[in-house]
Amino acid sequence: MCLIFLLSACATSFKQRAQWKQDAAQPLTCSRGPDCEAKWDRALIWVRNNSESTIDTATESIITTHIPQNSSSALITISKTEDDPGTYTIYFRAGCPWILGCTPSILELKASFANYVVKSIDLLPTDGPQTAKAQSDKGTVRPKANLGVVTGKTSQTAANKLGMKEPKGTRITYIGSDGVAFDSGLHLDDVILKFAEQTINDAQELDSALEKTVPPRTIPIYNLAGRCR
């Protein structure tokens, strides 16, 4: 019984690894404009949700994480390069500082990343009969407020650097050059403490506050120093 169980477990492991290899090999290409913007946004969200470390750098062409404090966690780098005019490739690279390997494995992380980035997503409703039917089935589509930023956990290291006694709010890890946040004077690594009258403790609370906000509307946002933007 033990031998049969062991062989079955190994077979399942081989099958899963083969699937990860297939998923990880997916080409991560995009075309300039909405296609690249959507996939790069998903890349940022994946790193924020799957990295044990906070994001160190986030620009329009590279995302890196801090060196992980947990030795079994991966150090992740995502880059976007232009291969041909208007055509880009998104690359996933990860390193493991622990000699025994990372958990999850690099292969599993790469497969998860590829699946998430290439997943189809409708950022805006399209025109036509199908949209009209969807709206009649689900009700009127309410416009959603969008700051044009990606935020993540405020680490103790970031808190120390910014003069906070303890981590608070949510730290801006990416800011678009054509969004509301950029126009209002917010910057990379600013920490959002309050949105309107709501105290913000993490990225989820900021997302929730944005969900409740119907544009166009002017909202005061307080950064680390308490300055109103």
Side-chain angles (χ1 to χ4, degrees):
M1 290 290 292
C2 291
L3 179 59
I4 293 174
F5 176 79
L6 177 61
L7 290 176
S8 175
C10 289
T12 302
S13 177
F14 291 146
K15 183 178 180 180
Q16 180 64 77
R17 186 173 179 82
Q19 184 62 54
W20 286 340
K21 284 185 177 180
Q22 180 179 333
D23 293 343
Q26 297 177 85
L28 301 182
T29 58
C30 62
S31 301
R32 181 186 296 138
D35 182 37
C36 272
E37 291 170 5
K39 289 177 179 176
W40 193 245
D41 284 346
R42 293 181 70 76
L44 280 162
I45 293 170
W46 185 92
V47 173
R48 187 180 73 182
N49 292 340
N50 291 275
S51 173
E52 293 293 331
S53 303
T54 57
I55 293 177
D56 183 35
T57 303
T59 70
E60 294 181 357
S61 60
I62 190 166
I63 308 165
T64 62
T65 61
H66 285 286
I67 296 176
Q69 295 180 346
N70 183 347
S71 59
S72 64
S73 299
L75 179 65
I76 297 171
T77 300
I78 312 296
S79 60
K80 181 178 66 177
T81 60
E82 187 172 16
D83 300 321
D84 296 307
T87 302
Y88 296 79
T89 298
I90 297 174
Y91 295 96
F92 174 96
R93 296 181 179 85
C96 189
W98 199 29
I99 192 172
L100 296 180
C102 286
T103 304
S105 69
I106 300 298
L107 180 61
E108 183 179 355
L109 288 172
K110 187 174 183 180
S112 171
F113 176 79
N115 285 332
Y116 191 82
V117 170
V118 301
K119 180 180 177 182
S120 176
I121 180 171
D122 294 327
L123 297 180
L124 294 172
T126 56
D127 296 329
Q130 290 184 342
T131 299
K133 183 178 184 302
Q135 290 180 344
S136 64
D137 291 342
K138 300 180 181 179
T140 302
V141 177
R142 189 181 73 170
K144 177 184 175 182
N146 184 7
L147 279 179
V149 300
V150 173
T151 65
K153 181 180 179 182
T154 304
S155 66
Q156 185 62 58
T157 300
N160 293 341
K161 183 178 179 181
L162 296 171
M164 290 190 289
K165 294 182 179 179
E166 59 184 15
K168 292 181 180 180
T170 182
R171 184 173 67 96
I172 296 177
T173 55
Y174 171 81
I175 183 166
S177 60
D178 57 353
V180 175
F182 182 84
D183 293 338
S184 67
L186 289 172
H187 300 283
L188 194 66
D189 285 332
D190 275 5
V191 174
I192 297 176
L193 300 175
K194 185 179 286 188
F195 183 91
E197 298 303 318
Q198 179 176 337
T199 299
I200 302 299
N201 295 302
D202 52 39
Q204 287 69 36
E205 289 188 359
L206 179 60
D207 289 342
S208 177
L210 286 167
E211 287 281 357
K212 300 172 185 176
T213 304
V214 180
R217 185 182 174 190
T218 300
I219 298 291
I221 299 176
Y222 296 86
N223 69 355
L224 171 66
R227 291 172 293 178
C228 182
R229 296 292 189 183

